[in-house]
Amino acid sequence: MDFSGKTAIVTGAAAGLGRAIAQALHQRGANLALAGLHEDTVTAFARELDPQGQRTLAIGADVSDHRAMHAMVDDTLERFGGLDYAVNNAGITGPHGHDTADYPIEDWNRVIAVDVNGTFYAMKAELAAMRETGHGAIVNLSSANGIVGIPGTSAYTTAKHAVIGLTRTAALEYAKAGIRINAIGPGYAATERMLETPREVLDMFAQTMPMGRLAKPAEIAAFVCFLLSDEASFATGGFFPVDGGYTAQ
């Protein structure tokens, strides 16, 4: 999976799975537009990945702003001359532990704005660019929650189900245009933020995984790279759990 000379956008790139995915793409030679809500954080990450700044572009952008997503793609095209891949990873979980009748409206609106609208806005701009060149591949980050219900997380669970529907619809629309679109459903992963969770909670999360452990972020990133690559050239419209067997139970 050599991405030398290719250009990818990663949203939510400065932390968690987005960071691991960006690292994996960079290691495989891709030019990267790294988008994140906090420009200083994503700029620092870009410098860490690429001190000379030859293959990275840091973009401060809120995915819930459609104008920012169009600007993100325009900046990428201006810097690198094209767009081959996109990983729409940015997302928030919102609060846990609220049954639907008690779920705060403001939290619902924010989760939907970031996780659903943000994915749509990013794809809308990315697909327009890819359509011009007649090729491309997109991976959207859903979740294991995208195909199961989890009490107390109505906004996040709804949003991640919606990402799958959006992915499949767009995949059908662009199947003959040379653009592949898939979604993955990560389970619990040992990101930096997750590892700040108390040990007993981490152990509980691990026990819910049939493999008995959390995912390594690099394992998720490698699967994303596979779906973007020509090795997955006949895969589009798919939802692929990468959850240690969680949703098979």
Side-chain angles (χ1 to χ4, degrees):
M1 292 183 286
D2 182 2
F3 297 137
S4 298
K6 304 293 187 180
T7 296
I9 288 173
V10 181
T11 67
L17 294 180
R19 183 182 180 91
I21 291 164
Q23 288 170 330
L25 287 167
H26 185 265
Q27 290 166 0
R28 290 163 171 81
N31 301 319
L32 289 175
L34 304 170
L37 183 60
H38 303 292
E39 186 171 1
D40 55 345
T41 303
V42 76
T43 297
F45 177 46
R47 289 175 179 162
E48 177 186 328
L49 268 185
D50 181 22
Q52 303 304 315
Q54 296 178 339
R55 292 198 287 119
T56 55
L57 171 66
I59 300 172
D62 182 347
V63 297
S64 68
D65 180 351
H66 67 92
R67 292 164 297 233
M69 292 297 91
H70 281 283
M72 172 186 74
V73 171
D74 287 344
D75 290 347
T76 302
L77 297 176
E78 181 178 353
R79 172 65 184 278
F80 296 116
L83 178 62
D84 303 286
Y85 312 119
V87 182
N88 297 312
N89 162 76
I92 58 175
T93 60
H96 295 251
H98 296 288
D99 288 346
T100 301
D102 302 316
Y103 201 92
I105 293 292
E106 60 275 15
D107 291 314
W108 170 275
N109 288 338
R110 183 58 182 161
V111 172
I112 298 302
V114 173
D115 294 12
V116 181
N117 296 350
T119 302
F120 168 70
Y121 296 152
M123 284 181 64
K124 182 175 173 64
E126 294 155 359
L127 285 166
M130 291 175 177
R131 185 174 56 194
E132 292 300 312
T133 59
H135 73 275
I138 295 173
V139 174
N140 294 322
L141 272 286
S142 178
S143 167
N145 285 48
I147 57 172
V148 298
I150 300 207
T153 65
S154 57
Y156 181 71
T157 301
T158 297
K160 293 306 183 180
H161 277 68
V163 167
I164 297 172
L166 177 59
T167 297
R168 287 177 165 158
T169 298
L172 295 176
E173 293 168 345
Y174 291 91
K176 294 182 180 178
I179 302 169
R180 298 184 301 102
I181 309 163
N182 291 290
I184 66 166
Y188 295 118
T191 62
E192 290 182 4
R193 182 176 297 178
M194 177 65 83
L195 293 177
E196 294 172 358
T197 305
R199 169 51 59 183
E200 60 271 19
V201 177
L202 287 177
D203 290 343
M204 179 188 70
F205 287 155
Q207 292 300 318
T208 68
M209 303 288 111
M211 293 181 73
R213 64 175 178 85
L214 305 184
K216 300 173 185 176
E219 292 175 311
I220 307 296
F223 196 81
V224 170
C225 289
F226 167 72
L227 287 176
L228 292 174
S229 77
D230 289 342
E231 298 297 314
S233 58
F234 202 57
T236 196
F239 170 71
F240 300 92
V242 192
D243 61 7
Y246 177 77
T247 55
Q249 299 180 101

